[in-house]
């Protein structure tokens, strides 16, 4: 009976839309994600520029999301390492990278997952977000 209940709970959770915070360094950075998840009921995505992150943290808006997807990684991202670290302690951090992007080691150890943006489809992203949300533990997140 307990297994049946747990299975039902999982099915209900997996059917729930995932609330994803998408951060980019410029407005065009989230185009790939937006075009691939638009119209799919499995996502509620909000798109922000990374410079708005301190305000989102200060107003505890980040807490309303299941996961954070960082895209359009470029030279300006290291300026926000500290606030990205704060986000990774609250919700799982995924990073979508382009073919020429390089992840700084400081961000790489904060990530719950990363993938090539060219692989991004709604189903692929749903599975990745589902995986990191289910396996994420605040206890295991490094602070340094």
């Amino acid at each position: 009976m307990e297994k049946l209940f747990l299975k039902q709970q999982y099915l209900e959770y997996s059917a729930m839309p995932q609330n994803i915070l998408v951060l980019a360094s410029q407005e065009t950075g989230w185009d790939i994600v937006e075009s691939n998840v638009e119209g799919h009921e499995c996502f509620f995505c909000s798109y922000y520029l990374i410079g708005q992150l301190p305000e989102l943290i200060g107003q505890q808006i980040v807490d309303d999301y299941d996961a954070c997807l960082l895209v359009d990684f470029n030279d300006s991202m290291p300026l926000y390492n500290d606030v990205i670290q704060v986000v990774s302690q609250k919700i799982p951090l995924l990073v979508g990278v382009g073919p020429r992007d390089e992840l700084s080691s400081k961000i790489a150890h904060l990530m719950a997952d990363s993938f090539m943006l060219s692989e991004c489809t709604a189903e692929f992203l749903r599975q990745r977000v589902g995986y990191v949300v289910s396996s994420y533990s605040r206890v295991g997140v490094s602070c340094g």
Side-chain angles (χ1 to χ4, degrees), residues 73-90:
F73 190 86
N74 69 20
D75 294 338
S76 70
M77 292 296 186
L79 298 173
Y80 299 98
N81 280 346
D82 291 342
V83 287
I84 292 171
Q85 180 174 330
V86 170
V87 169
S88 73
Q89 292 170 345
K90 294 176 174 285

Side-chain angles (χ1 to χ4, degrees), residues 3-130:
K3 284 185 181 179
L4 185 61
F5 174 74
L6 291 174
K7 184 176 181 181
Q8 182 65 29
Q9 292 286 91
Y10 173 77
L11 290 174
E12 287 176 12
Y13 172 76
S14 62
M16 291 171 57
Q18 292 163 317
N19 209 6
I20 303 177
L21 171 63
V22 181
L23 297 172
S25 62
Q26 51 190 346
E27 290 186 25
T28 56
W30 52 63
D31 287 352
I32 293 174
V33 178
E34 188 174 33
S35 64
N36 285 313
V37 301
E38 187 177 17
H40 289 266
E41 294 180 6
C42 56
F43 295 107
F44 291 133
C45 293
S46 298
Y47 304 91
Y48 293 95
L49 294 176
I50 191 132
Q52 296 170 284
L53 193 49
E55 184 178 341
L56 299 177
I57 293 170
Q59 295 181 9
Q60 297 180 328
I61 294 172
V62 169
D63 300 346
D64 296 333
Y65 292 92
D66 297 317
C68 176
L69 174 56
L70 184 62
V71 297
D72 185 32
F73 190 86
N74 69 20
D75 294 338
S76 70
M77 292 296 186
L79 298 173
Y80 299 98
N81 280 346
D82 291 342
V83 287
I84 292 171
Q85 180 174 330
V86 170
V87 169
S88 73
Q89 292 170 345
K90 294 176 174 285
I91 56 176
L93 175 68
L94 293 91
V95 178
V97 297
R100 292 180 294 281
D101 291 331
E102 291 184 26
L103 299 175
S104 74
S105 58
K106 186 160 187 179
I107 290 200
H109 84 277
L110 299 174
M111 293 184 314
D113 200 2
S114 67
F115 60 89
M116 295 292 291
L117 277 172
S118 59
E119 299 172 0
C120 182
T121 63
E123 180 59 23
F124 178 85
L125 187 57
R126 189 191 69 75
Q127 289 175 354
R128 283 292 171 97
V129 171

